[in-house]
Amino acid sequence: IIRRMQNEGHSIGIHSYSHKYYEVYASLDSFKNDVDSMRSYLEGIIGYKPTLYRFPGGSGNKVTNVDIRDCIAYLDSKDIRYYDWNVSSGDATTNAYSSDELVENVMKDVLKYKTSVVLLHDADSKEATVEALPKLIEALQAASVEILPITDNTPLIQTVKAV
C-alpha cells in the first residue's frame, strides 16, 4: 500500500510506529525511538528518509509526559517538518458520524483557509470515512478546491510552534 501511495504521487510521512500514546509520549527517548523506528521502516519501503511528520494526537495533545517542544527540537535535528491539521472530519474520536456528516464537517471549515490540512483516518473501523471520500472529493472539486499532497512548498500548519 505504501509503495502504491508513493507511485501515485502521495506524500509519505511519519505518524507513529506504535500509535500507543502511553508509549510514544512516555519520555523523550520513547518519542525518539518511535520516530526513528517508523522512519527506518518507511525508508526500507520508499527508498528515502521521509521528512514529514504528524504527531499522534497533534502537537497540542494533552497526553504527553514530555515537553512537546523537546519533541519538536528532535524532529528539527533530523530535518523533519511536522504538520497538524486545521480541518477535522470528526472521524478521530468516534464512529458516530455518517459519511454525509463527515463531508459536511470538512466542507464547513475547508473554505475558511487558504491552505487546509484535513484530518481523516484510514483504520479498519472507519467505514464511514472510506464511504465519504468520493463524495468529499466531488464536493471539494465543485467548490474549486485544489487537492494537493504536502510538499516542501506547503505552508506549515502547526498548533504548537518551537520557540
Side-chain angles (χ1 to χ4, degrees):
I1 291 173
I2 293 169
R3 279 191 198 98
R4 177 180 163 203
M5 291 167 56
Q6 180 185 26
N7 291 338
E8 291 178 0
H10 298 280
S11 301
I12 308 296
I14 307 160
H15 182 47
S16 178
Y17 193 78
S18 72
H19 207 273
K20 296 176 181 169
Y21 290 10
Y22 64 89
E23 288 179 13
V24 175
Y25 297 123
S27 67
L28 184 57
D29 284 339
S30 296
F31 176 80
K32 291 176 180 181
N33 184 56
D34 190 80
V35 170
D36 294 345
S37 295
M38 193 64 195
R39 193 177 200 197
S40 293
Y41 174 77
L42 290 170
E43 181 182 15
I45 296 170
I46 62 177
Y48 63 89
K49 290 182 179 176
T51 58
L52 301 172
Y53 184 80
R54 184 173 78 75
F55 284 97
S59 66
N61 76 72
K62 306 290 185 231
V63 296
T64 182
N65 290 326
V66 62
D67 187 332
I68 204 73
R69 287 174 179 79
D70 292 338
C71 298
I72 292 168
Y74 180 70
L75 295 176
D76 287 345
S77 76
K78 297 289 186 177
D79 294 319
I80 299 171
R81 295 177 321 140
Y82 74 95
Y83 281 82
D84 286 308
W85 59 92
N86 55 4
V87 176
S88 177
S89 67
D91 74 347
T93 56
T94 180
N95 292 330
Y97 289 113
S98 70
S99 62
D100 289 336
E101 289 169 323
L102 294 175
V103 171
E104 183 180 317
N105 290 345
V106 171
M107 293 307 296
K108 74 177 173 58
D109 288 336
V110 78
L111 297 176
K112 293 179 183 177
Y113 306 100
K114 181 176 174 154
T115 299
S116 296
V117 175
V118 179
L119 181 66
L120 295 162
H121 291 83
D122 65 350
D124 288 338
S125 63
K126 304 297 180 185
E127 292 101 0
T129 304
V130 173
E131 191 179 305
L133 281 176
K135 294 185 265 189
L136 179 57
I137 291 168
E138 287 176 17
L140 291 167
Q141 290 172 334
S144 297
V145 173
E146 190 174 16
I147 302 168
L148 300 168
I150 292 176
T151 68
D152 290 341
N153 297 321
T154 304
L156 292 173
I157 306 297
Q158 299 175 329
T159 302
V160 176
K161 300 193 188 294
V163 177

